[in-house]
Amino acid sequence: GLSVPLAVALSAAASAALAAVAPASPVFLVPMPSSVAACRRRGDDVVARLARRAATRMRVGARAVRVVPGLCFGRRVADSAGLTAAARRANLAGALEVNGLGRRLLRTGTVVLVDDVITTGATLSEAARALRAVGVDPAAAAVVAATTRRAAI
């Protein structure tokens, strides 16, 4: 399937992002959480799987790279498909929380947020907000693809 080439793209994006920030070791890839319904529809947690494969590719030399699923939804959110940028931000505002694993580990290394696609940036922004609220400052974000904004018709 596409998971191998997509993981290659994600590992390249994360490595490029890390090159710009001189990371401390270890590096933690933090996948954006998927809802239970999304995992059911897709048959898998796609972002977490891509992050695991990307981490494997990034473990070169002495660099320690680990996937830490440190974020979770603290409340239900609507499916973002079809929402405007403003509606996506409102939908996700305050929705993500740092779980126990994230609280224990993420302060001890360099955090890179990872997602499959960036559309408006609302998910990554909310993830960064949640992490900063517990004293973790993400160093970078890496995605496989970005959508282009369409002009309003």
Side-chain angles (χ1 to χ4, degrees), residues 1-97:
L2 289 175
S3 65
V4 171
L6 293 176
V8 169
L10 184 60
S11 67
S15 294
L18 286 169
V21 298
S25 196
V27 171
F28 298 124
L29 301 183
V30 179
M32 296 304 93
S34 294
S35 69
V36 172
C39 290
R40 195 176 314 119
R41 268 194 323 273
R42 298 174 186 155
D44 192 7
D45 186 340
V46 174
V47 178
R49 180 168 33 95
L50 290 175
R52 287 190 300 273
R53 288 190 172 186
T56 298
R57 294 187 59 82
M58 293 172 67
R59 288 185 194 114
V60 293
R63 178 180 283 167
V65 181
R66 179 175 174 186
V67 176
V68 177
L71 295 167
C72 60
F73 285 101
R75 63 171 174 80
R76 287 182 163 243
V77 296
D79 186 345
S80 62
L83 296 179
T84 65
R88 284 174 185 246
R89 284 190 302 275
N91 181 43
L92 289 170
L96 291 180
E97 297 177 352

Side-chain angles (χ1 to χ4, degrees), residues 78-144:
D79 186 345
S80 62
L83 296 179
T84 65
R88 284 174 185 246
R89 284 190 302 275
N91 181 43
L92 289 170
L96 291 180
E97 297 177 352
V98 180
N99 62 28
L101 180 63
R103 287 175 187 266
R104 282 192 308 278
L105 289 179
L106 296 178
R107 288 187 187 99
T108 65
T110 301
V111 172
V112 179
L113 303 174
V114 296
D115 207 350
D116 53 354
V117 178
I118 185 170
T119 304
T120 64
T123 305
L124 292 170
S125 292
E126 172 57 17
R129 182 216 52 84
L131 287 165
R132 288 183 183 118
V134 298
V136 176
D137 193 20
V143 299
V144 174

